[in-house]
Amino acid sequence: MQSDVVIVGGGLAGLACAVALRDCGLRIRVFEGSARLGGRACSWTDPHTCDDVDLGPHILLTEYRNMLAFLEQLGTRDRIVWETERLLRLREGRRVTDMRLHALPPPLHLLPSLATTKSVSLADVASNRRVLWMAMRATEEHIKHLDGRSALDLLRHSGVSDRFIEWFWATACMSVLNVPLDRCSAGALMRVFAQLTGLQEYAIGFADEALANLFVPGSIRMLERAGGRVYTESRVDRIVGEQGRFHSVMLQGGERIEARFCVAAVPPQCLTRLLPDEWAAMDPFKDVGRFEPSPYVSSYLWLDRKVTDERFWARIWNPCDLNTDFYDLSNIRRGWSERRESVIASNIIFSHRADGLSDEQIVAATLDDIREALPAAEHAHIRHAVVNRIPMAISCPTPGCERCRPATRTPIEGLLLAGDWTDTGLPSSMESAVHSGWAAAEVILQMQGRPHHLVLPKRELEGIAGWVRRYGAR
Ligand SMILES: Cc1cc2nc3c(=O)[nH]c(=O)nc-3n(C[C@H](O)[C@H](O)[C@H](O)COP(=O)(O)OP(=O)(O)OC[C@H]3O[C@@H](n4cnc5c(N)ncnc54)[C@H](O)[C@@H]3O)c2cc1C
């Protein structure tokens, strides 16, 4: 079979790339190894309840500019419900802290929520001044410089109090970067912190139907209408080439597909297996083995009654606890509120601590977690439960990894990389995946002599944070 562009991987990165290239006169073929498209953002119908569920619950941010533009293209952007009451509800046992963005210039807009919580003192909040100053001034160059240190080391040396580290930073690091503070790159954490404290307004959102329905059917339709093809259950076995030039891909069944370009839109753990040995030993591929997976366990519990009106809450991180974030889908999914029964999805992030537990133990512990937070759940019973063990939710941003994230272009002619873990300047996420897919499409368009800007940059910092970034940057 002959093609112009072969895309390996039908996750968000691969599909976003394919859709972006559909009208440029190239023959596009997407090969997905599994039976389902969507990758880590895939969904299916639960056979017991006939409800559509995702591999695990996901959130979006209003700052997901590329992801939201992609959904806009596909006509599904309005399928996101945004949390408008508050930014985030944090729970520590029965104690609740609502984080809100107040009408003060960033980063002061977070202060009223922090100053009024009973969980930390004003002295704890004030102990962040040096680290906040650093985050506001940090350029990408400085982020890469900080990458060699652990986030915990940086916070301690910047004078942040132990209580604030334990209450805020450990929770933020686990929720956003999916790795404990002592294993996290200081650069990766500062980059996220600068955005969260430096933007005036943003909100968390959720898909009001199966996540993959927002981008899989629309991508296939748009691509196939333009003459492209998507193949599922078509695992690529090898990427083939010679003399530094990509030539073809070999499918597991033995079929060879020749093409001018190959976009490898797969996680790092899959990429190493695809490359010829001499390429795997080259920069940037030789560092791919450094990316350690952050595993998740995602559970879905169908309860026999309604236990809350909330959509989402996060739990203050404690290494002895299991679940970190909870979603009541009956308050999120369109049409589910009429059932009067909660469906709670939750994530155990960096889930090594759950390795020795059976599914039954995880379900029982998850119900205990829900009861701990919500008195109304005390007498609730489980009608049905599902536990998904996910070996790789994202690649951990361990110290040194930011510098190893590869660029879209590789030294191999015709071979491009995409995926949430590539060098997008964003944490591994759906936004990073779409960004990377569009960056690969931009390179191909440029090489075709049809340069076109697709990638939307991050928003500039605002308020005092913006001023410091502009005039005080290192
Ligand atoms: C439980 C869970 C919760 C998450 N929560 C959030 C969240 O709240 N917010 C957020 O933004 N992100 C979240 N993420 C991360 C997000 O899902 C990913 O960042 C994103 O989906 C990655 O997309 P991708 O296209 O880069 O990679 P993937 O989705 O991994 O796609 C790669 C595809 O390549 C295929 N493939 C691999 N090898 C081959 C081969 N040899 N041949 C053919 N195909 C191959 C795979 O089957 C896969 O479909 C979460 C992930 C999980 C698992």
Side-chain angles (χ1 to χ4, degrees):
M1 198 198 290
Q2 288 229 327
S3 184
D4 294 306
V5 183
V6 164
I7 297 173
V8 188
L12 267 165
L15 292 176
C17 180
V19 170
L21 290 173
R22 73 192 182 284
D23 284 332
C24 67
L26 296 169
R27 285 166 300 174
I28 319 277
R29 303 272 181 272
V30 180
F31 294 98
E32 167 54 46
S34 71
R36 250 179 226 129
L37 290 165
R40 282 166 275 158
C42 71
S43 313
W44 60 84
T45 304
D46 173 65
H48 185 86
T49 58
C50 295
D51 284 337
D52 285 342
V53 289
D54 308 325
L55 178 59
H58 281 59
I59 60 162
L60 294 91
L61 288 173
T62 41
E63 290 315 301
Y64 280 13
R65 299 182 72 200
N66 292 283
M67 172 81 184
L68 292 174
F70 184 40
L71 298 185
E72 177 86 51
Q73 233 177 6
L74 301 172
T76 55
R77 187 179 172 142
D78 63 348
R79 306 311 310 263
I80 310 295
V81 282
W82 297 105
E83 188 71 276
T84 46
E85 276 196 29
R86 59 185 88 89
L87 175 62
L88 177 66
R89 172 157 286 180
L90 291 170
R91 280 203 153 92
E92 196 175 18
R94 294 246 160 121
R95 179 183 284 173
V96 170
T97 300
D98 280 343
M99 298 295 293
R100 294 176 201 283
L101 297 172
H102 291 260
L104 292 167
L108 302 180
H109 59 342
L110 279 163
L111 262 186
S113 296
L114 290 173
T116 49
T117 175
K118 292 189 174 62
S119 296
V120 286
S121 68
L122 280 177
D124 291 322
V125 176
S127 71
N128 285 281
R129 58 194 179 278
R130 272 176 64 199
V131 85
L132 177 63
W133 179 243
M134 183 186 299
M136 289 190 298
R137 295 173 71 209
T139 58
E140 258 313 293
E141 199 186 327
H142 188 52
I143 298 286
K144 294 270 160 59
H145 178 71
L146 286 174
D147 183 41
R149 285 177 82 174
S150 90
L152 184 61
D153 178 58
L154 178 79
L155 295 173
R156 286 204 173 129
H157 281 88
S158 305
V160 182
S161 73
D162 286 347
R163 175 60 187 152
F164 203 86
I165 289 178
E166 187 187 289
W167 182 78
F168 174 82
W169 284 104
T171 307
C173 191
M174 193 51 87
S175 314
V176 183
L177 295 166
N178 297 183
V179 68
L181 270 177
D182 59 332
R183 310 267 328 269
C184 183
S185 150
L189 190 67
M190 281 306 102
R191 188 197 275 137
V192 171
F193 186 52
Q195 290 288 306
L196 297 183
T197 52
L199 296 176
Q200 185 74 56
E201 268 184 75
Y202 52 92
I204 284 175
F206 319 89
D208 80 355
E209 61 172 303
L211 179 60
N213 287 358
L214 269 54
F215 65 96
V216 170
S219 296
I220 300 175
R221 217 170 24 245
M222 285 181 104
L223 188 62
E224 295 197 341
R225 217 182 272 150
R229 286 292 304 275
V230 182
Y231 302 86
T232 51
E233 293 182 271
S234 300
R235 183 159 296 280
V236 170
D237 204 28
R238 300 299 285 169
I239 293 175
V240 186
E242 53 198 357
Q243 290 168 350
R245 172 184 274 188
F246 161 77
H247 170 278
S248 55
V249 294
M250 185 78 88
L251 298 188
Q252 213 165 38
E255 196 177 352
R256 183 191 284 268
I257 294 102
E258 290 179 15
R260 283 177 55 207
F261 299 102
C262 172
V263 180
V266 297
Q269 296 78 10
C270 303
L271 180 66
T272 36
R273 292 197 289 268
L274 295 177
L275 298 175
D277 290 345
E278 64 271 27
W279 293 0
M282 291 165 68
D283 266 335
F285 309 116
K286 68 177 170 46
D287 286 326
V288 167
R290 288 187 59 161
F291 290 87
E292 179 197 331
S294 177
Y296 266 47
V297 176
S298 300
S299 306
Y300 287 82
L301 268 56
W302 281 258
L303 302 181
D304 63 354
R305 68 198 67 191
K306 189 96 177 162
V307 294
T308 179
D309 292 330
E310 294 168 39
R311 290 190 177 125
F312 164 68
W313 69 95
R315 196 184 197 191
I316 292 296
W317 166 249
N318 180 335
C320 302
D321 291 339
L322 272 188
N323 291 282
T324 40
D325 44 322
F326 300 80
Y327 308 74
D328 189 338
L329 300 184
S330 72
N331 302 323
I332 293 175
R333 292 286 174 89
R334 190 155 59 169
W336 286 28
S337 58
E338 289 128 37
R339 302 171 172 197
R340 312 220 152 270
E341 289 173 359
S342 288
V343 181
I344 310 262
S346 60
N347 286 316
I348 305 176
I349 300 179
F350 199 70
S351 60
H352 302 287
R353 62 198 179 281
D355 283 351
L357 300 180
S358 66
D359 286 3
E360 290 72 25
Q361 287 170 318
I362 289 175
V363 169
T366 302
L367 184 59
D368 285 346
D369 286 352
I370 296 167
R371 286 178 173 153
E372 182 195 72
L374 306 172
E378 203 147 314
H379 302 292
H381 295 285
I382 297 171
R383 287 203 298 110
H384 174 57
V386 171
V387 173
N388 297 325
R389 293 173 192 264
I390 304 151
M392 212 286 284
I394 63 164
S395 290
C396 298
T398 48
C401 272
E402 281 302 323
R403 274 183 244 160
C404 295
R405 290 175 77 175
T408 311
R409 287 176 192 263
T410 73
I412 307 302
E413 200 183 316
L415 175 62
L416 307 171
L417 298 182
D420 60 349
W421 63 288
T422 58
D423 191 12
T424 57
L426 299 162
S428 286
S429 58
M430 296 186 283
E431 170 66 357
S432 179
V434 174
H435 180 298
S436 74
W438 283 1
E442 276 184 1
V443 171
I444 292 173
L445 290 172
Q446 191 185 22
M447 289 170 112
Q448 287 290 103
R450 301 171 60 170
H452 188 63
H453 281 299
L454 296 163
V455 175
L456 300 170
K458 280 187 286 198
R459 248 192 321 147
E460 296 291 333
L461 302 192
E462 296 165 329
I464 299 170
W467 192 88
V468 172
R469 175 62 62 89
R470 274 191 300 282
Y471 302 110
R474 287 161 187 272

